[in-house]
Amino acid sequence: MMTETSITKSNRFLSLDVFRGLTIFLMIVVNTPGTGADLYPYLVHAQWFGFTLADLVFPSFLFAMGNAMSFSMEKLKTGSATVFWKKVLKRTVLIFLIGYLMYWFPFFRTGVNGSLELKPISETRIMGVLQRIALCYFMASVLFYYLKPKIVIVISVIILLAYWGLLYVFGVPGLELEMATNAITKLDLAILGEGHIYKKDSIPFDPEGLLSTLPSVVNVIVGFLAGRFIQQKGKSFEGIAKLLMLGFLLAALAFWWDLVFPISKKLWTSSFVLLTVGIDVSVMAILIYAIELKKKTRGTEFFNVFGKNPLFIYLFSELFYITLRLIPTASRLDVFEWVSQHVFQKICPGSFGAFLTAIAFTMLCWSMGWWLHKKRIYIKL
């Protein structure tokens, strides 16, 4: 847990908290659409290839995590390797375990005879959003603790190229990028087994699989490097201009690579990595210009609330949503469905009603974050 004083002393930019808060806001909206109508297409993940606003959310959080790490790594480097490994391993295991328990929640289910029974661990998903965050945090921390930034950049290029090669070498020939026959699915089934991977797609396939976690580390790495650059030249027009140029070049390279290695969030392709970090660098530059240079802070407090307790608010939103979907009503709908269809769909039928449901739910989560912020309680997972 962190205090307001410790946060102030960390000298982090307000724009970073706003950026991270914005990603959490969008993440909750995307994950909790109202029922009774389809959400707007740009707030729904691309079915396989392609790109939507929803696809930007998770990689942006990884980028923000790397950015925040750039402010804390120097302090870690001043300590001993023992302190570093203790801190990093503890946080990695904690986040991974919480993510795993979240998918196991509520731990019990109704058995055949109507009695409660423990949900079998053999059917619990192992990988997921928090688990990927934990692994990316661990790998990026180790790289930047032991290696110079220039070497990490070279490693990042190798990772993206190697991942491209791995998918084509180990996927089924001619079907290397299809859901059932790609190397990600094959590795997850071989190591984790079908019972431990995501099953809410057309076939068992984990969008946060083991192999696709490798390129996602690059999102954290670029976020870290951007953070280092921001600390040195971020509050200058020259620095902002360089960030915008870098963002444009990365996005342009992504669209060029897309011609031979399609952009896909579920596969987390190398072109997808370049596109998302390119957009993130550009958005961060715009936020720094508006907030840090021009002092345009109106409205920033809303997103800042999310940014102060990002992982905790995300975890709360997931558990709260799962709980609401478990509570039945007399109409045979669960509580979340009932509110969406009998309240918001009555007021605004269609996609806007589904969007309003997600916004209302997100505001409830924001209220929790606001209360924590008011009490100066900052839960660092």
Side-chain angles (χ1 to χ4, degrees):
M1 186 177 296
M2 297 180 65
T3 65
E4 183 70 31
T5 302
S6 65
I7 287 179
T8 301
K9 288 182 179 180
S10 68
N11 196 32
R12 292 202 325 229
F13 289 14
L14 173 60
S15 51
L16 170 60
D17 284 326
V18 171
F19 180 87
R20 186 168 53 245
L22 178 60
T23 65
I24 293 297
F25 170 79
L26 288 174
M27 189 179 291
I28 298 174
V29 170
V30 168
N31 289 345
T32 58
T35 60
D38 293 331
L39 196 59
Y40 293 113
Y42 55 85
L43 290 175
V44 179
H45 293 296
Q47 188 171 3
W48 192 244
F49 297 132
F51 185 77
T52 70
L53 177 61
D55 294 327
L56 180 64
V57 177
F58 187 22
S60 296
F61 186 84
L62 293 176
F63 177 90
M65 181 174 69
N67 209 316
M69 286 171 57
S70 70
F71 288 80
S72 60
M73 183 55 67
E74 289 304 317
K75 183 178 180 180
L76 281 177
K77 283 188 173 183
T78 60
S80 65
T82 302
V83 173
F84 166 79
W85 280 103
K86 182 179 180 180
K87 177 181 175 61
V88 170
L89 286 175
K90 180 181 178 180
R91 191 180 187 206
T92 299
V93 172
L94 178 63
I95 296 175
F96 194 100
L97 182 60
I98 289 174
Y100 175 78
L101 292 175
M102 185 178 74
Y103 290 124
W104 193 19
F105 181 81
F107 312 121
F108 293 91
R109 68 182 182 184
T110 304
V112 178
N113 59 0
S115 61
L116 286 179
E117 63 179 23
L118 190 67
K119 290 176 64 177
I121 294 178
S122 60
E123 298 177 10
T124 305
R125 183 185 178 193
I126 292 179
M127 294 297 291
V129 171
L130 289 176
Q131 293 90 316
R132 173 164 287 185
I133 289 173
L135 294 177
C136 288
Y137 165 76
F138 173 78
M139 288 185 276
S141 295
V142 173
L143 287 173
F144 281 111
Y145 184 77
Y146 285 102
L147 302 175
K148 294 181 179 180
K150 289 183 179 180
I151 298 177
V152 178
I153 292 174
V154 173
I155 291 175
S156 298
V157 174
I158 293 173
I159 287 174
L160 295 181
L161 293 174
Y163 182 65
W164 185 19
L166 288 171
L167 288 188
Y168 279 92
V169 170
F170 293 100
V172 175
L175 302 172
E176 295 91 349
L177 302 182
E178 297 300 318
M179 185 176 289
T181 51
N182 65 75
I184 301 168
T185 301
K186 292 172 68 176
L187 183 65
D188 285 342
L189 290 174
I191 295 179
L192 304 177
E194 185 173 327
H196 293 297
I197 64 177
Y198 187 76
K199 301 183 184 65
K200 294 182 181 180
D201 222 314
S202 56
I203 63 170
F205 169 80
D206 206 317
E208 281 82 43
L210 293 169
L211 184 59
S212 58
T213 296
L214 188 61
S216 65
V217 177
V218 179
N219 290 86
V220 182
I221 290 173
V222 177
F224 184 100
L225 295 171
R228 286 282 297 273
F229 180 81
I230 289 168
Q231 292 175 62
Q232 297 168 3
K233 297 184 179 180
K235 293 187 178 182
S236 69
F237 289 105
E238 177 188 359
I240 291 172
K242 287 182 178 180
L243 287 173
L244 288 173
M245 287 189 289
L246 176 62
F248 174 80
L249 289 174
L250 289 171
L253 182 58
F255 285 118
W256 174 80
W257 208 346
D258 174 61
L259 298 174
V260 290
F261 193 23
I263 293 170
S264 172
K265 188 264 182 186
K266 291 185 177 180
L267 288 173
W268 211 283
T269 54
S270 303
S271 54
F272 173 76
V273 173
L274 292 184
L275 177 60
T276 52
V277 296
I279 295 174
D280 288 336
V281 167
S282 301
V283 172
M284 181 60 71
I286 294 170
L287 288 176
I288 292 171
Y289 172 77
I291 297 173
E292 312 295 346
L293 268 64
K294 293 298 183 179
K295 307 300 180 182
K296 303 292 185 180
T297 58
R298 176 178 291 184
T300 58
E301 187 61 21
F302 176 82
F303 296 110
N304 192 31
V305 166
F306 281 114
K308 292 298 185 181
N309 286 288
L311 285 179
F312 179 79
I313 294 176
Y314 168 73
L315 177 63
F316 172 78
S317 73
E318 290 290 302
L319 296 178
F320 186 30
Y321 177 73
I322 293 170
T323 301
L324 292 179
R325 298 306 302 266
L326 291 174
I327 303 174
T329 65
S331 62
R332 295 186 178 181
L333 300 174
D334 60 55
V335 170
F336 186 87
E337 291 174 321
W338 190 92
V339 172
S340 178
Q341 297 178 33
H342 288 271
V343 178
F344 292 101
Q345 283 299 317
K346 296 293 184 182
I347 299 172
C348 298
S351 297
F352 191 61
F355 175 69
L356 285 180
T357 304
I359 291 295
F361 180 86
T362 304
M363 289 307 299
L364 289 175
C365 298
W366 179 88
S367 298
M368 167 63 75
W370 175 83
W371 181 83
L372 291 172
H373 184 43
K374 183 180 179 181
K375 297 294 183 180
R376 296 190 176 184
I377 299 172
Y378 303 102
I379 303 170
K380 186 176 181 181
L381 298 179

PDB file of all heavy atoms in Angstrom, residues 22-42:
ATOM      1  N   LEU A  22      -7.149   6.162 -18.103  1.00  0.00           N
ATOM      2  CA  LEU A  22      -7.944   6.056 -19.324  1.00  0.00           C
ATOM      3  C   LEU A  22      -8.004   4.614 -19.825  1.00  0.00           C
ATOM      4  O   LEU A  22      -9.060   4.137 -20.269  1.00  0.00           O
ATOM      5  CB  LEU A  22      -7.348   6.964 -20.408  1.00  0.00           C
ATOM      6  CG  LEU A  22      -8.025   6.949 -21.777  1.00  0.00           C
ATOM      7  CD1 LEU A  22      -9.481   7.381 -21.661  1.00  0.00           C
ATOM      8  CD2 LEU A  22      -7.273   7.863 -22.747  1.00  0.00           C
ATOM      9  N   THR A  23      -6.884   3.901 -19.739  1.00  0.00           N
ATOM     10  CA  THR A  23      -6.872   2.502 -20.175  1.00  0.00           C
ATOM     11  C   THR A  23      -7.762   1.635 -19.286  1.00  0.00           C
ATOM     12  O   THR A  23      -8.468   0.751 -19.785  1.00  0.00           O
ATOM     13  CB  THR A  23      -5.444   1.932 -20.194  1.00  0.00           C
ATOM     14  OG1 THR A  23      -4.916   1.897 -18.867  1.00  0.00           O
ATOM     15  CG2 THR A  23      -4.530   2.760 -21.074  1.00  0.00           C
ATOM     16  N   ILE A  24      -7.739   1.874 -17.970  1.00  0.00           N
ATOM     17  CA  ILE A  24      -8.593   1.102 -17.070  1.00  0.00           C
ATOM     18  C   ILE A  24     -10.066   1.406 -17.340  1.00  0.00           C
ATOM     19  O   ILE A  24     -10.919   0.513 -17.362  1.00  0.00           O
ATOM     20  CB  ILE A  24      -8.249   1.398 -15.600  1.00  0.00           C
ATOM     21  CG1 ILE A  24      -6.850   0.874 -15.268  1.00  0.00           C
ATOM     22  CG2 ILE A  24      -9.269   0.757 -14.659  1.00  0.00           C
ATOM     23  CD1 ILE A  24      -6.693  -0.627 -15.399  1.00  0.00           C
ATOM     24  N   PHE A  25     -10.386   2.673 -17.554  1.00  0.00           N
ATOM     25  CA  PHE A  25     -11.755   3.077 -17.881  1.00  0.00           C
ATOM     26  C   PHE A  25     -12.256   2.325 -19.110  1.00  0.00           C
ATOM     27  O   PHE A  25     -13.341   1.723 -19.099  1.00  0.00           O
ATOM     28  CB  PHE A  25     -11.799   4.588 -18.113  1.00  0.00           C
ATOM     29  CG  PHE A  25     -13.101   5.085 -18.679  1.00  0.00           C
ATOM     30  CD1 PHE A  25     -14.204   5.271 -17.861  1.00  0.00           C
ATOM     31  CD2 PHE A  25     -13.221   5.371 -20.034  1.00  0.00           C
ATOM     32  CE1 PHE A  25     -15.407   5.729 -18.383  1.00  0.00           C
ATOM     33  CE2 PHE A  25     -14.415   5.827 -20.567  1.00  0.00           C
ATOM     34  CZ  PHE A  25     -15.511   6.002 -19.734  1.00  0.00           C
ATOM     35  N   LEU A  26     -11.456   2.348 -20.178  1.00  0.00           N
ATOM     36  CA  LEU A  26     -11.856   1.670 -21.410  1.00  0.00           C
ATOM     37  C   LEU A  26     -11.888   0.152 -21.232  1.00  0.00           C
ATOM     38  O   LEU A  26     -12.744  -0.532 -21.803  1.00  0.00           O
ATOM     39  CB  LEU A  26     -10.908   2.048 -22.544  1.00  0.00           C
ATOM     40  CG  LEU A  26     -11.042   3.480 -23.074  1.00  0.00           C
ATOM     41  CD1 LEU A  26      -9.945   3.772 -24.090  1.00  0.00           C
ATOM     42  CD2 LEU A  26     -12.402   3.697 -23.707  1.00  0.00           C
ATOM     43  N   MET A  27     -10.979  -0.378 -20.431  1.00  0.00           N
ATOM     44  CA  MET A  27     -10.936  -1.816 -20.210  1.00  0.00           C
ATOM     45  C   MET A  27     -12.227  -2.305 -19.562  1.00  0.00           C
ATOM     46  O   MET A  27     -12.788  -3.336 -19.959  1.00  0.00           O
ATOM     47  CB  MET A  27      -9.729  -2.174 -19.336  1.00  0.00           C
ATOM     48  CG  MET A  27      -9.458  -3.674 -19.227  1.00  0.00           C
ATOM     49  SD  MET A  27      -7.990  -4.043 -18.213  1.00  0.00           S
ATOM     50  CE  MET A  27      -6.683  -3.426 -19.276  1.00  0.00           C
ATOM     51  N   ILE A  28     -12.717  -1.573 -18.579  1.00  0.00           N
ATOM     52  CA  ILE A  28     -13.947  -1.968 -17.894  1.00  0.00           C
ATOM     53  C   ILE A  28     -15.147  -1.828 -18.834  1.00  0.00           C
ATOM     54  O   ILE A  28     -16.023  -2.697 -18.891  1.00  0.00           O
ATOM     55  CB  ILE A  28     -14.146  -1.145 -16.617  1.00  0.00           C
ATOM     56  CG1 ILE A  28     -13.001  -1.397 -15.638  1.00  0.00           C
ATOM     57  CG2 ILE A  28     -15.482  -1.507 -15.947  1.00  0.00           C
ATOM     58  CD1 ILE A  28     -13.029  -0.515 -14.400  1.00  0.00           C
ATOM     59  N   VAL A  29     -15.194  -0.741 -19.595  1.00  0.00           N
ATOM     60  CA  VAL A  29     -16.292  -0.535 -20.548  1.00  0.00           C
ATOM     61  C   VAL A  29     -16.341  -1.666 -21.558  1.00  0.00           C
ATOM     62  O   VAL A  29     -17.410  -2.220 -21.848  1.00  0.00           O
ATOM     63  CB  VAL A  29     -16.139   0.823 -21.265  1.00  0.00           C
ATOM     64  CG1 VAL A  29     -17.128   0.930 -22.427  1.00  0.00           C
ATOM     65  CG2 VAL A  29     -16.363   1.973 -20.294  1.00  0.00           C
ATOM     66  N   VAL A  30     -15.188  -2.034 -22.096  1.00  0.00           N
ATOM     67  CA  VAL A  30     -15.119  -3.096 -23.106  1.00  0.00           C
ATOM     68  C   VAL A  30     -15.502  -4.453 -22.525  1.00  0.00           C
ATOM     69  O   VAL A  30     -16.174  -5.264 -23.178  1.00  0.00           O
ATOM     70  CB  VAL A  30     -13.696  -3.154 -23.712  1.00  0.00           C
ATOM     71  CG1 VAL A  30     -13.503  -4.427 -24.540  1.00  0.00           C
ATOM     72  CG2 VAL A  30     -13.446  -1.919 -24.566  1.00  0.00           C
ATOM     73  N   ASN A  31     -15.113  -4.707 -21.266  1.00  0.00           N
ATOM     74  CA  ASN A  31     -15.354  -6.020 -20.653  1.00  0.00           C
ATOM     75  C   ASN A  31     -16.761  -6.204 -20.121  1.00  0.00           C
ATOM     76  O   ASN A  31     -17.163  -7.323 -19.813  1.00  0.00           O
ATOM     77  CB  ASN A  31     -14.353  -6.256 -19.512  1.00  0.00           C
ATOM     78  CG  ASN A  31     -12.946  -6.492 -20.007  1.00  0.00           C
ATOM     79  OD1 ASN A  31     -12.726  -6.752 -21.184  1.00  0.00           O
ATOM     80  ND2 ASN A  31     -11.980  -6.401 -19.115  1.00  0.00           N
ATOM     81  N   THR A  32     -17.525  -5.109 -19.979  1.00  0.00           N
ATOM     82  CA  THR A  32     -18.850  -5.229 -19.355  1.00  0.00           C
ATOM     83  C   THR A  32     -19.949  -4.595 -20.201  1.00  0.00           C
ATOM     84  O   THR A  32     -20.699  -3.729 -19.727  1.00  0.00           O
ATOM     85  CB  THR A  32     -18.841  -4.587 -17.955  1.00  0.00           C
ATOM     86  OG1 THR A  32     -18.444  -3.209 -18.070  1.00  0.00           O
ATOM     87  CG2 THR A  32     -17.879  -5.297 -17.034  1.00  0.00           C
ATOM     88  N   PRO A  33     -20.106  -5.007 -21.463  1.00  0.00           N
ATOM     89  CA  PRO A  33     -21.166  -4.426 -22.300  1.00  0.00           C
ATOM     90  C   PRO A  33     -22.540  -4.879 -21.821  1.00  0.00           C
ATOM     91  O   PRO A  33     -22.702  -5.978 -21.300  1.00  0.00           O
ATOM     92  CB  PRO A  33     -20.848  -4.988 -23.684  1.00  0.00           C
ATOM     93  CG  PRO A  33     -20.188  -6.303 -23.409  1.00  0.00           C
ATOM     94  CD  PRO A  33     -19.364  -6.057 -22.162  1.00  0.00           C
ATOM     95  N   GLY A  34     -23.509  -4.025 -22.010  1.00  0.00           N
ATOM     96  CA  GLY A  34     -24.869  -4.392 -21.649  1.00  0.00           C
ATOM     97  C   GLY A  34     -25.398  -5.495 -22.546  1.00  0.00           C
ATOM     98  O   GLY A  34     -24.917  -5.702 -23.663  1.00  0.00           O
ATOM     99  N   THR A  35     -26.386  -6.229 -22.060  1.00  0.00           N
ATOM    100  CA  THR A  35     -27.018  -7.290 -22.842  1.00  0.00           C
ATOM    101  C   THR A  35     -28.302  -6.758 -23.476  1.00  0.00           C
ATOM    102  O   THR A  35     -28.796  -5.706 -23.109  1.00  0.00           O
ATOM    103  CB  THR A  35     -27.343  -8.499 -21.953  1.00  0.00           C
ATOM    104  OG1 THR A  35     -28.238  -8.076 -20.898  1.00  0.00           O
ATOM    105  CG2 THR A  35     -26.089  -9.070 -21.331  1.00  0.00           C
ATOM    106  N   GLY A  36     -28.817  -7.492 -24.437  1.00  0.00           N
ATOM    107  CA  GLY A  36     -30.040  -7.081 -25.117  1.00  0.00           C
ATOM    108  C   GLY A  36     -29.782  -6.381 -26.431  1.00  0.00           C
ATOM    109  O   GLY A  36     -30.700  -6.167 -27.223  1.00  0.00           O
ATOM    110  N   ALA A  37     -28.537  -6.019 -26.694  1.00  0.00           N
ATOM    111  CA  ALA A  37     -28.141  -5.381 -27.951  1.00  0.00           C
ATOM    112  C   ALA A  37     -26.632  -5.452 -28.061  1.00  0.00           C
ATOM    113  O   ALA A  37     -25.926  -5.589 -27.058  1.00  0.00           O
ATOM    114  CB  ALA A  37     -28.622  -3.929 -28.009  1.00  0.00           C
ATOM    115  N   ASP A  38     -26.133  -5.368 -29.274  1.00  0.00           N
ATOM    116  CA  ASP A  38     -24.690  -5.407 -29.491  1.00  0.00           C
ATOM    117  C   ASP A  38     -24.066  -4.058 -29.163  1.00  0.00           C
ATOM    118  O   ASP A  38     -24.651  -2.993 -29.412  1.00  0.00           O
ATOM    119  CB  ASP A  38     -24.374  -5.758 -30.943  1.00  0.00           C
ATOM    120  CG  ASP A  38     -24.782  -7.183 -31.295  1.00  0.00           C
ATOM    121  OD1 ASP A  38     -24.782  -8.026 -30.373  1.00  0.00           O
ATOM    122  OD2 ASP A  38     -25.117  -7.438 -32.462  1.00  0.00           O
ATOM    123  N   LEU A  39     -22.860  -4.106 -28.580  1.00  0.00           N
ATOM    124  CA  LEU A  39     -22.113  -2.891 -28.311  1.00  0.00           C
ATOM    125  C   LEU A  39     -21.578  -2.342 -29.636  1.00  0.00           C
ATOM    126  O   LEU A  39     -21.503  -3.051 -30.647  1.00  0.00           O
ATOM    127  CB  LEU A  39     -20.955  -3.192 -27.354  1.00  0.00           C
ATOM    128  CG  LEU A  39     -20.288  -2.008 -26.654  1.00  0.00           C
ATOM    129  CD1 LEU A  39     -21.294  -1.235 -25.814  1.00  0.00           C
ATOM    130  CD2 LEU A  39     -19.146  -2.497 -25.769  1.00  0.00           C
ATOM    131  N   TYR A  40     -21.212  -1.078 -29.662  1.00  0.00           N
ATOM    132  CA  TYR A  40     -20.659  -0.475 -30.867  1.00  0.00           C
ATOM    133  C   TYR A  40     -19.445  -1.286 -31.335  1.00  0.00           C
ATOM    134  O   TYR A  40     -18.615  -1.704 -30.522  1.00  0.00           O
ATOM    135  CB  TYR A  40     -20.243   0.967 -30.601  1.00  0.00           C
ATOM    136  CG  TYR A  40     -21.413   1.888 -30.306  1.00  0.00           C
ATOM    137  CD1 TYR A  40     -21.567   2.456 -29.036  1.00  0.00           C
ATOM    138  CD2 TYR A  40     -22.355   2.176 -31.284  1.00  0.00           C
ATOM    139  CE1 TYR A  40     -22.635   3.300 -28.755  1.00  0.00           C
ATOM    140  CE2 TYR A  40     -23.428   3.021 -31.010  1.00  0.00           C
ATOM    141  CZ  TYR A  40     -23.572   3.576 -29.745  1.00  0.00           C
ATOM    142  OH  TYR A  40     -24.635   4.398 -29.471  1.00  0.00           O
ATOM    143  N   PRO A  41     -19.319  -1.509 -32.655  1.00  0.00           N
ATOM    144  CA  PRO A  41     -18.236  -2.357 -33.182  1.00  0.00           C
ATOM    145  C   PRO A  41     -16.837  -1.949 -32.734  1.00  0.00           C
ATOM    146  O   PRO A  41     -15.988  -2.804 -32.503  1.00  0.00           O
ATOM    147  CB  PRO A  41     -18.395  -2.217 -34.706  1.00  0.00           C
ATOM    148  CG  PRO A  41     -19.838  -1.884 -34.897  1.00  0.00           C
ATOM    149  CD  PRO A  41     -20.216  -1.033 -33.719  1.00  0.00           C
ATOM    150  N   TYR A  42     -16.587  -0.641 -32.615  1.00  0.00           N
ATOM    151  CA  TYR A  42     -15.235  -0.202 -32.250  1.00  0.00           C
ATOM    152  C   TYR A  42     -14.919  -0.465 -30.782  1.00  0.00           C
ATOM    153  O   TYR A  42     -13.773  -0.341 -30.360  1.00  0.00           O
ATOM    154  CB  TYR A  42     -15.029   1.274 -32.588  1.00  0.00           C
ATOM    155  CG  TYR A  42     -16.049   2.213 -31.991  1.00  0.00           C
ATOM    156  CD1 TYR A  42     -15.899   2.701 -30.698  1.00  0.00           C
ATOM    157  CD2 TYR A  42     -17.158   2.620 -32.721  1.00  0.00           C
ATOM    158  CE1 TYR A  42     -16.828   3.568 -30.143  1.00  0.00           C
ATOM    159  CE2 TYR A  42     -18.097   3.487 -32.175  1.00  0.00           C
ATOM    160  CZ  TYR A  42     -17.932   3.954 -30.897  1.00  0.00           C
ATOM    161  OH  TYR A  42     -18.865   4.804 -30.351  1.00  0.00           O
TER     162      TYR A  42
END
